[in-house]
Amino acid sequence: MPIATPGRAAGATGDGAGAVRSGRSGRSPVLPRGTGITAARIGSLTVCQAVLVVGLGLLITGPARHVWPLTVEDHVNEGFERIRTGPLTSLSYVGSEAGNTLTVIAVTLVTCVALLLVPRLPMWRQAVFLAVAVSLQALVFLVVTESVDRTRPDVDRLDASPPTSSYTSGHTGAATALYAGLGVLVLSRVRRPWRWPLAGLLFLVPLIVGVSRLYRGMHHPTDVIGGMANGALSLAIVWRALFTDGSVAAVPSPRSGHVEAAAGVEECAPGSTAVIFNPTVTGEADREKLRRILEQHGHRAPEFIETTAEDPGTGQAAGAVRDGAALVVVCGGDGTIRAAADALAGTGVPLVVVPCGTGNLLARNLGLPLAPATALDAALSGTPHRLDLGRIEGDGLAPTHFAAMSGAGLDAAMLEHTDDRAKSAVGWPAYVLATIGTLRTPRMRLTVRLDDGPVLHRTARMVLLANVGTVQGGLTLVPAARPDDGRLDLLILDPRGPGGWMRAVGILMRGHRHTPRPTTVDTPAPDGTGKKGVPVEFFTFRRAELAFAAPQSRELDGDPVSHGRRLSAEVRPGALTVLLPTREK
């Protein structure tokens, strides 16, 4: 999702990007803090990995060798031998070479150099992840081949037999660590629509390599499976150590420091970082992990401030700004984020979103990791971006802001009926359970006026004012909504009967393929309520006035508010500055 990058004014508030500094001028870089602990953790898990893979090999060549399916493995190799043709042999050679030692080393080196030199901010962590994963699987492979003695299949082999054991397939293990590792990096770093097919192709390469090795008579099927397991375990161990545990700080980058100094961005002073957290979803262990990551990124002595039932974050964020905070980190759900954003709107003080709630709609739409520590680490390595906010008010609703969505009708009633214990137990699926009980929410009559347009008369089950488009489960309700386009979007849902609900679900399910902004023309129905039989309508606007014939359930960013008969909303373009991970172009 494209996000507009602010100019100089956005960075003038302090260390908005939270990038790591190298300290005093001329100081030589050192190993990141936490490297020793992480290396020890990786080492111990790799020993366990080697024991596991060796144990499986000894089982295959020992007690289990007369047990099905091991007894029919030779039939697989013989079957591949019988179907050999010239074109297939040529294709298998290409597939096999993709996992060749020299190929894997060359691709790994080129990729790691590109990760360090091509992006504006070096992706050192991604480069280390790939290099270490490939190296670890190779190390375990050598241990396994020395520990497990297995002859190669008794078929005509198309390649020279290396002196190593048939178990495991080194080509397949190396291909899994390299290409599946690249696929993981694509999914975690790229936000373009083509990331899924590209990642799928990368995940397919190890399978192609494995089949090629079987075709060429170099390995038994369980050798290939063992190689894939070896590569996958190496990826999992290194990913957990570098991205989930978050115990290693980023290496200082002279290049990024130079760019920020040239832009006039000053370094954060000690105590200038405020962390606002919801204590019901952010425990002491979580706070300690977040504190460690902040310190690793140069934010010393961050101040942790609890939200309360009476003040879910607005007062805390406003107080932090008054006290001169240069960065505000908010740990909580969409309600906590919304409350803090209300106070930060227009201040230019950067916000870091750390998703700790049930829905986390804003974090999902911004492409942030949903693990709190990973999200914080990624944001602090990123850059500031300007996002829109919606300003909303109504009868019994004081003027405030929302960052993701606001609405009335079915969705608000669903939120009112969602049990907090169910949310704690099963997470966002609790909303689905609550929806089932609110499907019979009465249809409402309302009038809508968008910008300076005419008054529209409608009936609806639900109206949704959206700054973002995607909800839980990856469902895109409002395909045109973007948080940085200077506009808000309106969804009016009014299905009638089972057929209408089926049409509405069909429109919403395929909505992600219709990205242009939809337009509608008000065609009054005989009863004067507007477009008859239309289950879903989309509008875009800068200001909207909604008036309901009777009081309705209403919600702001996932939190129910008082019932009422009126909502007025307008967009505040670029009102909120948020740190987001650097996107590939």
Side-chain angles (χ1 to χ4, degrees):
M1 178 177 59
I3 303 294
T5 304
R8 178 184 298 270
T13 58
D15 186 13
V20 182
R21 301 295 200 274
S22 59
R24 294 185 296 271
S25 177
R27 180 177 178 178
S28 60
V30 295
L31 285 176
R33 180 181 303 175
T35 300
I37 296 175
T38 300
R41 183 180 296 121
I42 291 175
S44 61
L45 290 175
T46 302
V47 170
C48 296
Q49 172 186 341
V51 170
L52 175 62
V53 179
V54 168
L56 290 175
L58 294 176
L59 182 65
I60 290 171
T61 58
R65 67 179 182 275
H66 299 303
V67 178
W68 189 92
L70 297 178
T71 54
V72 297
E73 276 196 298
D74 290 343
H75 299 335
V76 176
N77 295 103
E78 293 165 359
F80 275 113
E81 185 181 30
R82 286 194 296 269
I83 65 170
R84 288 176 182 171
T85 63
L88 286 178
T89 298
S90 299
L91 290 174
S92 73
Y93 174 78
V94 175
S96 179
E97 287 300 297
N100 193 327
T101 301
L102 292 179
T103 303
V104 169
I105 292 175
V107 175
T108 303
L109 285 175
V110 170
T111 303
C112 290
V113 170
L115 288 170
L116 295 175
L117 298 181
V118 174
R120 188 179 67 83
L121 294 177
M123 297 184 188
W124 74 270
R125 199 181 293 259
Q126 286 74 19
V128 171
F129 160 71
L130 194 64
V132 173
V134 172
S135 301
L136 285 184
Q137 76 77 30
L139 179 62
V140 173
F141 165 75
L142 293 176
V143 173
V144 172
T145 56
E146 290 296 323
S147 305
V148 180
D149 185 17
R150 191 180 199 189
T151 59
R152 297 188 181 273
D154 188 18
V155 296
D156 180 31
R157 293 187 286 275
L158 300 181
D159 297 322
S161 298
T164 55
S165 169
S166 179
Y167 179 89
T168 62
S169 171
H171 283 62
T172 309
T176 302
L178 173 58
Y179 300 108
L182 288 173
V184 169
L185 292 181
V186 167
L187 292 179
S188 64
R189 297 296 301 180
V190 178
R191 292 293 174 263
R192 300 300 177 87
W194 45 262
R195 68 179 180 139
W196 289 105
L198 176 58
L201 289 175
L202 289 168
F203 289 134
L204 188 61
V205 173
L207 181 61
I208 294 174
V209 173
V211 172
S212 298
R213 299 300 285 172
L214 292 175
Y215 177 93
R216 301 181 73 80
M218 303 307 297
H219 294 284
H220 305 277
T222 47
D223 302 334
V224 170
I225 294 172
M228 288 184 175
N230 183 30
L233 286 171
S234 295
L235 287 175
I237 289 171
V238 182
W239 178 269
R240 177 179 176 83
L242 291 180
F243 295 97
T244 303
D245 293 343
S247 57
V248 180
V251 175
S253 172
R255 286 194 297 146
S256 63
H258 175 74
V259 171
E260 291 170 351
V265 179
E266 298 178 358
E267 191 167 336
C268 281
S272 62
T273 300
V275 182
I276 299 170
F277 67 95
N278 183 339
T280 64
V281 294
T282 310
E284 185 176 348
D286 297 321
R287 298 197 296 271
E288 186 57 33
K289 184 177 292 186
L290 298 178
R291 185 192 307 276
R292 186 167 63 248
I293 292 173
L294 282 164
E295 291 180 350
Q296 291 167 2
H297 282 270
H299 298 269
R300 307 299 178 189
E303 181 182 3
F304 282 72
I305 310 169
E306 286 190 18
T307 64
T308 64
E310 297 75 22
D311 189 344
T314 304
Q316 293 86 343
V321 173
R322 285 195 305 269
D323 294 337
L327 182 70
V328 175
V329 179
V330 180
C331 314
D334 286 308
T336 307
I337 302 296
R338 186 206 67 77
D342 186 47
L344 295 175
T347 65
V349 176
L351 166 70
V352 174
V353 176
V354 178
C356 297
T358 304
N360 301 316
L361 285 188
L362 184 61
R364 293 174 189 271
N365 281 270
L366 295 179
L368 291 171
L370 296 183
T374 307
L376 177 60
D377 183 61
L380 293 177
S381 300
T383 52
H385 299 262
R386 289 288 184 89
L387 304 184
D388 306 332
L389 289 175
R391 186 181 184 276
I392 192 166
E393 60 181 305
D395 51 324
L397 178 62
T400 186
H401 292 87
F402 67 91
M405 296 178 177
S406 178
L410 180 63
D411 69 317
M414 174 267 294
L415 291 168
E416 287 180 347
H417 289 83
T418 300
D419 185 78
D420 289 337
R421 291 172 297 180
K423 287 168 59 177
S424 300
V426 302
W428 66 261
Y431 295 127
V432 179
L433 299 176
T435 300
I436 297 174
T438 57
L439 288 178
R440 298 183 64 85
T441 299
R443 180 175 283 105
M444 54 188 171
R445 292 178 177 267
L446 71 152
T447 60
V448 181
R449 183 171 184 179
L450 305 178
D451 299 325
D452 296 326
V455 174
L456 310 179
H457 297 269
R458 292 290 187 269
T459 60
R461 294 286 188 182
M462 178 181 78
V463 293
L464 198 62
L465 303 163
N467 192 34
V468 298
T470 301
V471 296
Q472 291 88 350
L475 176 63
T476 300
L477 287 183
V478 190
R482 300 290 185 273
D484 61 347
D485 59 0
R487 300 181 181 187
L488 297 175
D489 290 80
L490 173 65
L491 163 68
I492 298 180
L493 181 69
D494 190 29
R496 296 170 183 264
W501 279 106
M502 292 179 64
R503 288 178 60 197
V505 170
I507 292 172
L508 295 176
M509 290 296 290
R510 65 175 182 268
H512 66 281
R513 295 198 294 268
H514 300 279
T515 54
R517 291 188 174 278
T519 57
T520 60
V521 178
D522 186 38
T523 305
D527 60 0
T529 59
K531 302 190 74 172
K532 184 177 181 180
V534 178
V536 182
E537 290 184 275
F538 299 99
F539 302 84
T540 182
F541 64 93
R542 291 183 174 84
R543 179 172 178 80
E545 299 281 346
L546 281 65
F548 307 100
Q552 300 295 327
S553 302
R554 300 180 296 185
E555 59 93 3
L556 294 178
D557 279 350
D559 285 340
V561 295
S562 62
H563 290 205
R565 301 177 60 174
R566 184 174 62 85
L567 284 175
S568 299
E570 63 179 338
V571 66
R572 289 196 60 188
L576 185 66
T577 302
V578 179
L579 292 191
L580 296 177
T582 303
R583 310 295 188 198
E584 285 79 8
K585 296 183 179 181

